[in-house]
Amino acid sequence: MKTSTTQGAVSSRTAVKYQRISKSFGHTPVLRDIVLDIPGGSTTCVIGPSGSGKSTLLRCTNLLERPDSGRILIGTDAITDPGADVDRIRTRVGMVFQKFHLFPYHSVLDNVTLALRQVLGKSRDEAVEVARTQLATVGLADLQDRRPAQLSGGQQQRVAIARSLAMKPEVMLFDEATSALDPELVKGVLAVMRDLAAQGMTMIVVTHEMRFAREVAQQVVFLDQGHLIEAAPPDQFFDAPSSPRLRAFLNEVP
Ligand code: ADP
Ligand code: MG
């Protein structure tokens, strides 16, 4: 039993493939013909101006949105094909949001065990064991009986991360996971994300933290007005960007 609580996250080699993804809201194109490969076990950071389609790209990746055209593969499974099992895909693709979306009236422990029991059908004992292990990895073993409101924002976000990880996802999506946090709390959350990356989790991280992107990512992607303008290793991306639009964007960020 012990092994099942520690494997998934670190042994995954699943890749994500975006094959010509397009998405409009009404008449407004938000993603335009996105082609991108996410190698298994790597971290890809996605940056770009507000409204460029970053969140929509992530939301398409766990089917919170559906692309109008194109395909998304998780491993070899085309999740965008009709008939794909949305609940199962959401267990394979974890997502962490800017606002933590914890259940306010449940304890930290229950926040982590709920989906384990309801979606994966684990017994209470099994779910508790997985949850405790996962809470320990994000440094919150001592706080399992608190309610979310009794935690700092950074601690709440780490609960949200633990809750996602408990499902043993093959891919983790982070949508500006540190943007709502006070500056002094950002570090702890980024540290958890760094650890995950170092353990070989496949991660797609929308972020404004350029230092994190440079130090942790194997690939950095720039979106602008729904176009994928550039995808490159961080050195090249930050030091020798090929597109004028990315150069301008990088000049604007502090
Ligand atoms: P980003 O995360 O890069 O800021 P988003 O993916 O959230 O960008 O949004 C891209 C564009 O799509 C924005 O213009 C936004 O207003 C619009 N948009 C996002 N979600 C919806 C929605 N559910 N309905 C209508 N428009 C949306
Ligand atoms: Mg967004």
Side-chain angles (χ1 to χ4, degrees):
M1 278 296 107
K2 262 261 155 13
T3 51
S4 70
T5 63
T6 50
Q7 60 190 8
V10 291
S11 65
S12 167
R13 281 292 168 269
T14 306
V16 184
K17 261 184 194 294
Y18 299 92
Q19 299 178 327
R20 307 199 57 182
I21 297 304
S22 294
K23 171 84 184 165
S24 297
F25 289 112
H27 294 295
T28 313
V30 170
L31 295 174
R32 310 190 215 212
D33 229 7
I34 301 291
V35 175
L36 178 64
D37 277 6
I38 310 293
S42 71
T43 295
T44 295
C45 285
V46 179
I47 68 170
S50 174
S52 57
K54 305 180 298 294
S55 294
T56 304
L57 183 68
L58 290 195
R59 292 168 63 81
C60 285
T61 313
N62 72 352
L63 298 182
L64 286 173
E65 301 286 355
R66 276 197 178 266
D68 300 327
S69 60
R71 300 207 310 166
I72 302 175
L73 305 187
I74 306 292
T76 54
D77 300 327
I79 63 166
T80 42
D81 283 358
D85 181 343
V86 173
D87 287 339
R88 186 166 138 59
I89 288 157
R90 297 224 178 106
T91 68
R92 296 176 66 188
V93 183
M95 184 150 173
V96 173
F97 301 86
Q98 181 173 347
K99 301 203 175 130
F100 329 117
H101 297 298
L102 298 176
F103 305 112
Y105 303 114
H106 286 284
S107 68
V108 164
L109 186 69
D110 287 350
N111 264 276
V112 182
T113 58
L114 276 172
L116 287 169
R117 300 181 67 192
Q118 289 173 4
V119 181
L120 298 187
K122 289 189 184 293
S123 70
R124 168 145 188 97
D125 286 354
E126 262 183 305
V128 165
E129 190 190 340
V130 173
R132 286 206 175 119
T133 306
Q134 217 49 256
L135 285 167
T137 66
V138 300
L140 295 177
D142 299 341
L143 303 181
Q144 64 173 45
D145 296 324
R146 294 211 191 161
R147 298 286 164 93
Q150 298 171 302
L151 302 180
S152 74
Q155 288 167 334
Q156 290 183 56
Q157 189 60 297
R158 284 186 278 147
V159 175
I161 294 172
R163 180 174 64 177
S164 264
L165 291 176
M167 305 297 280
K168 306 295 173 208
E170 297 160 51
V171 180
M172 283 288 288
L173 312 175
F174 293 88
D175 193 359
E176 302 198 24
T178 58
S179 296
L181 300 177
D182 293 335
E184 73 273 19
L185 304 177
V186 168
K187 229 169 130 186
V189 173
L190 290 181
V192 167
M193 292 168 64
R194 271 175 202 267
D195 282 353
L196 258 185
Q199 289 166 32
M201 175 59 85
T202 304
M203 316 212 301
I204 309 176
V205 180
V206 171
T207 188
H208 299 293
E209 299 284 341
M210 297 300 165
R211 207 174 122 198
F212 178 89
R214 193 187 265 277
E215 293 174 3
V216 178
Q218 281 75 44
Q219 172 173 248
V220 190
V221 171
F222 178 57
L223 286 189
D224 191 30
Q225 296 179 11
H227 295 282
L228 194 159
I229 305 284
E230 195 145 345
D235 286 357
Q236 187 184 328
F237 185 96
F238 290 110
D239 300 333
S242 39
S243 96
R245 184 66 195 90
L246 174 55
R247 281 201 291 276
F249 179 79
L250 291 173
N251 281 333
E252 284 158 21
V253 295

